[in-house]
Amino acid sequence: MRATSTSPRALAAVGTAPHASAAGPADAEELCERYAHRIYRFAAMVARGDVEAEDLAHDALIKAIRGLALYDSARGSVEAWLWRIVVNTARDAGLTARRRFELLSRLRSEAASAPVSAPAPLVRDDQLMKAIRDLKQRDRAVVALRFGADLDYEGVGAALGISTAAAGVATRRALYRLRTILENRDDQ
């Protein structure tokens, strides 16, 4: 699966599902078209490599497609339901942090609006990725959801099963820890 394409592997594996809800995607193809790109960006941030990212995105989409008929709009939005599946799939796989091309710029822009400042502009991508890999799993998931999946705090909270306020706090704390790791490496 590539960043802008629907996963043919996912569609071929399960076909289409019956209508889930008027508010949610009608079938597997629509689910993939609407979310595959963001799921893959998230997977690329938490996986060790491109192949693992593709596998994670594929597995998450397969689980979502198979569960599409079970989606209940009364329990929350389809997006919250989907991100919970994606996060749990990543957690189950025990994957570590990995990111896509836009992480550094997104991290800087997010940190500029938060009380914690972004890493120094001279941080190389490989240094940033190593620092992200050194974060605890929860912090990696927060950073990946916020910057890789491009979710707002509400979406991060829904995916992790925490409140919007707690997601904001968790993001700021994760960014602070990331900055500390990067600063300590500069001192060495």
Side-chain angles (χ1 to χ4, degrees):
M1 173 182 4
R2 290 291 161 236
T4 58
S5 67
T6 301
S7 170
R9 197 167 139 198
L11 292 174
V14 297
T16 59
H19 287 277
S21 151
D27 59 24
E29 186 171 0
E30 184 180 348
L31 181 83
C32 289
E33 286 174 2
R34 285 173 61 181
Y35 298 102
H37 175 70
R38 291 172 57 200
I39 290 171
Y40 181 76
R41 283 192 313 181
F42 168 84
M45 289 181 65
V46 298
R48 294 178 195 261
D50 290 339
V51 172
E52 287 184 20
E54 287 183 11
D55 287 344
L56 171 61
H58 170 262
D59 291 347
L61 280 169
I62 292 294
K63 287 179 183 180
I65 291 167
R66 288 184 176 154
L68 195 55
L70 303 175
Y71 166 70
D72 179 9
S73 62
R75 295 184 65 193
S77 72
V78 72
E79 191 161 325
W81 167 80
L82 178 63
W83 285 112
R84 196 170 289 273
I85 291 172
V86 174
V87 168
N88 288 336
T89 301
R91 212 177 267 150
D92 292 345
L95 299 172
T96 59
R98 184 81 175 147
R99 70 138 198 88
R100 296 287 290 159
F101 174 76
E102 299 172 3
L103 175 63
L104 186 57
S105 61
R106 287 187 180 162
L107 185 60
R108 287 181 184 146
S109 67
E110 176 66 19
S113 66
V116 176
S117 63
L122 299 177
V123 173
R124 293 188 327 259
D125 286 353
D126 62 325
Q127 291 172 321
L128 179 61
M129 286 311 305
K130 179 142 179 42
I132 291 172
R133 286 186 203 106
D134 289 344
L135 290 171
K136 292 182 180 177
Q137 182 179 0
R138 173 95 169 175
D139 290 339
R140 287 192 316 259
V142 168
V143 170
L145 285 167
R146 180 65 189 100
F147 302 106
D150 200 24
L151 295 180
D152 58 13
Y153 294 133
E154 184 178 355
V156 171
L160 296 175
I162 59 177
S163 70
T164 301
V169 170
T171 301
R172 285 187 289 282
R173 287 179 179 167
L175 291 175
Y176 176 80
R177 290 180 188 113
L178 181 60
R179 181 176 186 214
T180 301
I181 291 169
L182 289 167
E183 287 173 349
N184 289 338
R185 288 205 176 126
D186 288 343
D187 294 341
Q188 294 176 1

